[in-house]
Amino acid sequence: MPAMSDLSDLDTMTPAEAAVELERLSLEIAEHNRRYHEDDAPTVTDAEFDALRRRNEAIEARFPDLVRADTPSRKVGSAPSAKFAKIRHAVPMLSLDNAFADEDVADFARRVRRFLGLSEDAKLAITAEPKIDGLSLSLRYEKGRLVSAATRGDGQVGEDVTANARTLDDIPGELTGFSPEIFEVRGEVYMTHADFAALNARLLAEAGEGAEGGGEGARKARQFANPRNAAAGSLRQKDANVTKSRPLRFFAYAWGQTSELPGETQSEVVAALQAMGFQTNTVPQNGRTEPLMRRLETVDGLIEHYRRIEAERASLGYDIDGVVYKVDDLEQQRELGFVSRAPRWAIAHKFSAEQATTVVEEIVINVGRTGKLAPLAKLRPVTVGGVVVSNVTLHNEDYVAGRDADGQPIRGGRDIRIGDTVVIQRAGDVIPQVVDVVIEKRPDGAEPFLYPDHCPICGSKAEREINPRTGRLDSVRRCTAAMTCPAQAKEGLKHFVSRNAFDIEGLGETFVEELFDAGLARQPADLFRMEFDRLRDVIEARRRA
Ligand code: IVH
């Protein structure tokens, strides 16, 4: 079978093969949809999922007669879970088409112009705002009072999460200064990075209390992989008290059924939403005075704003996965209407799924089993490919300085400093890497990182050896203290019990560290003979922690 995003076999595909492939894709996409929407636990990245959909669409475009009744290209989300009562949306909750390249944005503007019969130079206002990576929610207000809240579900029927939604501070029970017969507000429920980290720490602690002997697999199971899953899992709870204990937030950016609209443009209505008591992306965030939503009149302007939002991405404190462009004039929106699962008047310009920009907050040096000094960048957390990345290895001294083992420049010779904005990449299961440094964003006064020439743990000299193969200085600097260096001794001990060596069951890395720190095991031989009382103390301390 070709790789998921590979379309190279399309030219030679026979109709019979296409039919089989469309069936396979329909089932596979439905299953991934179920895992994402129902279980809040996806098993592929968003990029992999998009690639499956693109492959399905490409085959359908080539074999239009073979489009299945259950085609994923006409479906949004996933059927609502049986866990919840159902709510039929008065106005369907649709999805957005995606743009990946700048050219796709230009195409979007051309299509809109053509559809509206506008000439090249006629004015066309389009808004650009962040695409928040959470889950969408529709709030129904009658005479200004919140009466129901529903998830998107399959776009037609969603899950009734009214009691849960009422627990969010960002969701007013009553609208301020506006009480029409019917007004449905739509937006995104999300979680900030800081709240996500705190929630996972709390879940870990709670699981630890219940778990005997600290089965680490069981502890992990209760944590969330990323803020989106955490937001979805927290909102979709049977017990609203659980939702109440979770730090969920809500951004309003759209609406459903309305008996009255407080404006004639997208930007006016969004401004009105803010006045009604909602958080919107037009409000200053964290002291920022610039609104994140802009109204623009050229494609270049849209792309420029996209780049600006992309550069700000790491400092927002919550996940966004692109920028949404919407035709501003609501009359034009009505004229443009919808095609299958998405409006013609909007498009989502997605960020590259595998790359993100963030800030190096600290560079720490770990010492390994063989004394190797290993530099690690502590990052402002950012979600890349569905996983929160907060650490990235910087390999060695040369890598930090911007050169390879042969002294040749890497990243155009740009070194990595504390405070630097860096582009990190994580593709599939590959370990995240720094692919570039954004020099323009380097803070004034940032100094080159001073690589230590002494072991940060034991203070002994750390040296670069001559590589016998090349006759040159090795990239790696090592602590010269061998087993008298506590870091090397501890790492050596961890290695000894590990699967690759003695594979001692029940003796995980953390436990070994605790034994080492308590002075009970300093070298492998100590593991076989321990004072019972002291061992019990360590185990009890571990239970309490
Ligand atoms: S507008 C008719 N604006 O992205 C479509 N959606 O991939 C109205 N989303 O279902 C959606 N941020 O859950 C809109 N600023 C934003 C958004 C946004 C996130 C989500 C929303 C939507 C999905 C489409």
Side-chain angles (χ1 to χ4, degrees), residues 94-96 129-132 136 152 188 253-254 324 326 338 343 345:
L94 297 170
S95 185
L96 291 170
E129 69 195 60
K131 182 172 189 302
I132 303 132
S136 44
R152 183 163 73 171
E188 204 82 354
Y253 51 67
V324 184
K326 301 174 185 170
F338 299 85
W345 45 264

Side-chain angles (χ1 to χ4, degrees), residues 395-410:
H395 301 288
N396 56 53
E397 189 169 348
D398 287 334
Y399 188 85
V400 176
R403 51 177 186 258
D404 66 13
D406 298 325
Q408 295 302 312
I410 52 172

